Amino acid sequence: MTEKEYNQCVAEYADNVYRFILKNLRHEEDARDVVQAAFEKMWRNRSDVDNTKCKSYLFTVAYNQMIDHLRKAKRVQLRDEFREETTVYDKPMYNTRKILEEALSRLNETQRSLVLLKDYEGYSYEEIGQITGLNESQVKVYLHRARIQLKNYLVKPENVI
């Protein structure tokens, strides 16, 4: 990959990668850091990256950087004074975005990533497999299970949109 091809890849896919990482992490600064690290890694390895596969490479690196970030964040946990059961929520009815974000947050990292890549970003099963390191069958199974979990959460009377 040449410098020009790298710049073209950045211009073409930067927003998509950032959106994907932000949807998973739900924290802008962390998402920027992860995306920057992914682009930096792609820059360092640009001589080994085939330009026709720069999108797949970029999403794979960003996904792995995000997983590393989440693992590091899990090691450092702050204690809340209140448990979730004691917290009072004042949620307005019919707030679709919040309900969907809450439903997605209940999925594990892999399932959330698969749902976002397939249903939000529109990638094929094969592309998702390349990005996540799963085979196509695993992607389909995990995605099916994630959608079932989403459906079960969304049809609860308190969450019905």
Side-chain angles (χ1 to χ4, degrees):
M1 170 182 281
T2 65
E3 185 176 335
K4 183 179 180 182
E5 291 169 336
Y6 171 83
N7 289 334
Q8 184 179 10
C9 183
V10 169
E12 195 168 336
Y13 301 116
D15 289 339
N16 294 346
V17 172
Y18 176 72
R19 209 173 38 242
F20 168 64
I21 299 299
L22 181 61
K23 279 287 184 188
N24 275 288
L25 294 180
R26 295 180 302 274
H27 190 268
E28 288 183 20
E29 291 300 319
D30 289 346
R32 285 189 194 118
D33 290 344
V34 167
V35 171
Q36 182 177 358
F39 278 118
E40 181 183 341
K41 189 168 188 177
M42 190 167 91
W43 174 256
R44 283 193 312 262
N45 297 322
R46 69 186 180 282
S47 60
D48 301 329
V49 178
D50 181 10
N51 187 46
T52 59
K53 298 185 179 188
C54 74
K55 177 182 177 183
S56 174
Y57 181 86
L58 181 60
F59 270 85
T60 301
V61 169
Y63 176 79
N64 290 333
Q65 292 283 336
M66 179 188 68
I67 296 299
D68 290 345
H69 174 79
L70 289 170
R71 287 181 181 150
K72 287 177 190 173
K74 278 184 181 176
R75 284 188 239 148
V76 179
Q77 293 183 355
L78 302 175
R79 292 183 67 180
D80 291 330
E81 289 184 29
F82 298 103
R83 293 188 321 207
E84 192 172 316
E85 297 86 34
T86 61
T87 307
V88 177
Y89 292 103
D90 181 25
K91 61 181 187 183
M93 301 214 23
Y94 307 113
N95 193 343
T96 307
R97 175 173 279 163
K98 287 194 188 259
I99 292 171
L100 289 174
E101 286 176 2
E102 175 64 25
L104 283 171
S105 72
R106 292 176 174 271
L107 299 175
N108 68 41
E109 299 164 12
T110 304
Q111 290 175 325
R112 183 172 46 252
S113 295
L114 293 177
V115 168
L116 291 172
L117 285 170
K118 180 66 176 161
D119 298 329
Y120 189 74
E121 296 291 335
Y123 289 100
S124 69
Y125 294 116
E126 182 181 349
E127 289 174 316
I128 294 170
Q130 290 173 354
I131 291 168
T132 60
L134 301 170
N135 67 43
E136 199 170 324
S137 297
Q138 289 174 309
V139 170
K140 289 177 182 178
V141 169
Y142 292 164
L143 190 56
H144 176 72
R145 290 177 182 163
R147 287 175 175 160
I148 288 172
Q149 281 185 301
L150 287 172
K151 182 185 107 185
N152 289 339
Y153 177 78
L154 292 173
V155 297
K156 289 182 181 176
E158 64 270 15
N159 298 328
V160 173
I161 300 173

